[in-house]
Amino acid sequence: MPSNIAFRWLSLVAVIWLQSVNGTNTNFPAYSSQLKHLLSLSQIQVNNLAFASDAAKLLGWLSGIAAVYLPLWLVLLIGSTLGLVGYGVQYLFLTNQISSLSYAHIFCLTVLAGNSICWINTVCYVVAIRNFPSNRQVANGLTTSFQGLSAKIYTDIVDVAFNSSPTKRAQGYVLLNSVLPVIVSVICASLAKDVGAEGITDMKFGLFAMFIITIITGVYAILSSFKSISRNILSPVGILVGIYVLLLLPLVIPLIEKLIVEREKRVHVLDNNVSLEELESGDKAEEEAREVVKEEEVGVMEEIGVQVMVKRVNFWLYFFVYLLGVTLGLVFLNNLGQIAESRHYQGTSYLVSLSSSFSFFGRLLPSLLDFCFSRSRYMISRPASIVASMAPMVIAFFLLLIKTNLALYISTAVIALCTGAITTLSVSTTTELFGAEKFSINHNIVIANIPIGSLLFGYSAALIYHKHANGHGKCLGMECYAQTFIVWGSLCFVGTLLALALYFRTRKFYSTRVNR
């Protein structure tokens, strides 16, 4: 059993590593402007590439089905291979090693690369849910937060290895996007698996320690994102080493947990004069009973499949809340490079790094609150938390109408924070509203709205940008995105009202869960 405990925590560490390199699409704003110049693209074509990555989520359900019938390690390797091909061929083209690549080819390769994220995400979700059934919301939120850190990690590596010209940096991002997920997937393939229910013990210490490490990582990421602070203390190499050390630090949790369990068993054997075999037999029965109780406490509204789910009013409310919340935030972050350029802001990579760091904390915050207050009467429901997360986004979109770098910083941080929070909340919400049994398929249906919103919101923004652009297709000035920010802010307000409606419709269910 002790070894089972160690493997359970090692699987969580593996998921953290996978998520930390799986947000390959989040670093697109850092090199989109360079890509635009390298390939002589219009803003609409650049937007279409951002949409291509999101469009891949329309096929995300394939990874959900694969996770049901195939070993998780195989699903993981399939996903990373898709990314290797999608980004790898683009890298060969950008470095002039192949020359017969059209824009249509690049679009299709970007779709392929974007789909790889779905496969790795599915493995991460399934591992967290199966190995931490009584703490699945906490485990999923904690690990998912590291995907918000991906752009920061990639930027730090590029700062060290490719910090020469904008062209080299763009090539560096694409190269890293292709090879880094594969390398990490190969390392984690044997760890990211279903350990089973045997050996589940009290996990509060391990989760608490994991939260402490994660919070320290997030604070470090934010501070090192501010050039004025970090560059006076650490070099780019020092910043990158610090991130690596913090990502390796969770490895101490499996070791400590194993030592604690073995020590408790020895003490119990000595105090009660029983054999280790008898103790393990009694512990196993006790833990299985405890697990049944905890599973009942988690609770879901109902276990349903896709065909039933799409007929429910709650699903469509939830679908449009996600569309006008997370998806809208992601479209903003995808266009961050062009938004910064239009405002004459130099240093887009630092802005992307800042958004990545705040997205990290946004993804972590719901799980931290759930861990601390899940049994408290002050803990609000997931739909209420989504309402609380969307309201600041409305203000942030309108704040972008102010022509100052400070307004850009604040709005970017708030939108990244809230988008990250709703992303984490949605994983738990999907489970609670529609069940955990078919989660891998149901949630991929929910996030299918991302490519829809990416096309609608991104394309309209590109048209407005193009309307104000000069003869070379570049737009400089506040008018490039002013109308877009007004539309996005208004849509986000509508989404907040829909989230409020979802809250009232599910209030009885969540109040029942709290009173258990």
Side-chain angles (χ1 to χ4, degrees):
M1 183 172 66
S3 60
N4 210 29
I5 293 170
F7 275 116
R8 189 178 307 282
W9 287 102
L10 281 173
S11 73
L12 195 69
V13 175
V15 171
I16 286 175
W17 290 349
L18 288 168
Q19 291 285 26
S20 67
V21 298
N22 192 36
T24 50
N25 60 329
T26 60
N27 61 49
F28 179 74
Y31 66 90
S32 60
S33 294
Q34 287 77 27
L35 196 65
K36 179 180 179 181
H37 300 315
L38 282 172
L39 304 179
S40 300
L41 304 178
S42 68
Q43 181 57 35
I44 293 177
Q45 288 177 311
V46 173
N47 179 77
N48 287 341
L49 290 181
F51 161 72
S53 180
D54 293 332
K57 293 178 176 62
L58 289 172
L59 299 174
W61 55 271
L62 290 173
S63 62
I65 294 175
V68 175
Y69 297 103
L70 299 178
L72 292 180
W73 64 266
L74 182 56
V75 177
L76 183 61
L77 294 181
I78 290 173
S80 59
T81 302
L82 292 176
L84 176 65
V85 175
Y87 284 115
V89 176
Q90 290 186 59
Y91 173 75
L92 295 176
F93 175 68
L94 291 176
T95 54
N96 298 317
Q97 297 183 51
I98 57 176
S99 57
S100 58
L101 214 59
S102 67
Y103 177 77
H105 291 144
I106 296 176
F107 183 92
C108 293
L109 288 169
T110 304
V111 171
L112 189 66
N115 188 246
S116 71
I117 297 173
C118 298
W119 290 72
I120 298 176
N121 262 342
T122 297
V123 172
C124 292
Y125 291 151
V126 170
V127 169
I129 288 173
R130 292 180 182 175
N131 291 349
F132 294 82
S134 57
N135 299 103
R136 57 191 177 201
Q137 285 87 1
V138 174
N140 256 320
L142 193 152
T143 53
T144 303
S145 64
F146 281 86
Q147 189 178 112
L149 202 62
S150 287
K152 163 69 176 172
I153 293 172
Y154 280 98
T155 298
D156 287 343
I157 298 175
V158 169
D159 285 344
V160 172
F162 303 95
N163 193 17
S164 50
S165 66
T167 299
K168 291 293 184 182
R169 290 179 64 87
Q171 294 170 353
Y173 276 111
V174 177
L175 175 62
L176 290 172
N177 285 348
S178 65
V179 300
L180 199 54
V182 174
I183 294 172
V184 177
S185 293
V186 170
I187 294 173
C188 297
S190 61
L191 300 176
K193 61 182 180 180
D194 182 2
V195 178
E198 183 182 354
I200 293 181
T201 59
D202 185 1
M203 298 183 177
K204 286 186 177 180
F205 171 79
L207 290 173
F208 177 77
M210 199 71 82
F211 270 117
I212 295 299
I213 294 172
T214 305
I215 291 171
I216 292 173
T217 303
V219 171
Y220 177 84
I222 289 178
L223 292 178
S224 61
S225 297
F226 289 102
K227 183 178 180 180
S228 58
I229 297 176
S230 62
R231 295 304 185 267
N232 294 328
I233 301 174
L234 294 172
S235 65
V237 175
I239 293 174
L240 183 60
V241 170
I243 285 289
Y244 281 154
V245 170
L246 290 169
L247 288 175
L248 291 172
L249 200 55
L251 282 173
V252 304
I253 306 298
L255 177 61
I256 294 175
E257 282 285 341
K258 182 178 178 180
L259 292 175
I260 289 176
V261 171
E262 289 181 343
R263 179 181 178 278
E264 289 178 348
K265 285 189 177 297
R266 289 195 210 96
V267 171
H268 198 82
V269 168
L270 293 174
D271 289 347
N272 296 279
N273 195 27
V274 295
S275 68
L276 186 60
E277 291 76 12
E278 292 173 334
L279 178 62
E280 289 181 345
S281 176
D283 280 352
K284 182 177 179 180
E286 181 183 346
E287 286 159 8
E288 289 176 351
R290 186 191 305 128
E291 189 60 30
V292 171
V293 173
K294 287 184 176 180
E295 276 293 323
E296 292 176 350
E297 290 176 347
V298 171
V300 296
M301 182 174 288
E302 53 188 340
E303 290 283 355
I304 60 177
V306 173
Q307 291 182 338
V308 177
M309 181 179 71
V310 297
K311 297 177 182 178
R312 301 296 170 87
V313 174
N314 284 349
F315 167 76
W316 289 108
L317 278 174
Y318 180 40
F319 185 89
F320 283 105
V321 165
Y322 200 97
L323 177 70
L324 302 177
V326 173
T327 299
L328 203 55
L330 292 176
V331 172
F332 166 79
L333 296 175
N334 282 340
N335 284 270
L336 196 55
Q338 276 64 50
I339 292 171
E341 184 182 59
S342 69
R343 297 166 76 105
H344 301 278
Y345 177 79
Q346 302 297 322
T348 304
S349 62
Y350 297 113
L351 198 62
V352 171
S353 184
L354 181 69
S355 69
S356 176
S357 300
F358 274 92
S359 175
F360 171 86
F361 262 116
R363 291 168 183 257
L364 178 66
L365 189 58
S367 298
L368 183 60
L369 295 176
D370 188 77
F371 179 74
C372 296
F373 303 108
S374 59
R375 296 182 181 274
S376 170
R377 62 188 180 93
Y378 299 107
M379 185 67 182
I380 63 176
S381 67
R382 313 289 179 195
S385 299
I386 293 175
V387 174
S389 300
M390 289 187 68
M393 288 180 66
V394 178
I395 300 173
F397 279 123
F398 288 111
L399 185 63
L400 285 164
L401 296 172
I402 300 175
K403 188 182 178 180
T404 62
N405 286 342
L406 181 61
L408 180 61
Y409 288 141
I410 295 175
S411 296
T412 300
V414 170
I415 293 172
L417 183 76
C418 296
T419 300
I422 303 171
T423 300
T424 294
L425 289 167
S426 68
V427 175
S428 302
T429 305
T430 301
T431 304
E432 292 168 352
L433 295 184
F434 312 119
E437 183 179 339
K438 298 183 179 179
F439 165 83
S440 60
I441 300 176
N442 289 347
H443 194 64
N444 277 304
I445 296 298
V446 172
I447 64 174
N449 69 58
I450 293 179
I452 297 173
S454 180
L455 178 62
L456 294 176
F457 306 143
Y459 194 73
S460 61
L463 288 176
I464 295 173
Y465 179 98
H466 185 72
K467 177 182 176 181
H468 297 283
N470 57 29
H472 300 287
K474 179 181 289 188
C475 181
L476 297 175
M478 290 296 293
E479 67 275 6
C480 300
Y481 284 95
Q483 296 177 35
T484 297
F485 294 146
I486 294 173
V487 173
W488 286 356
S490 301
L491 289 173
C492 192
F493 178 72
V494 173
T496 306
L497 295 180
L498 293 177
L500 196 60
L502 181 64
Y503 161 70
F504 282 114
R505 285 183 59 85
T506 58
R507 184 171 54 176
K508 183 178 179 180
F509 163 69
Y510 281 100
S511 63
T512 302
R513 291 180 71 239
V514 171
N515 292 330
R516 283 186 178 182

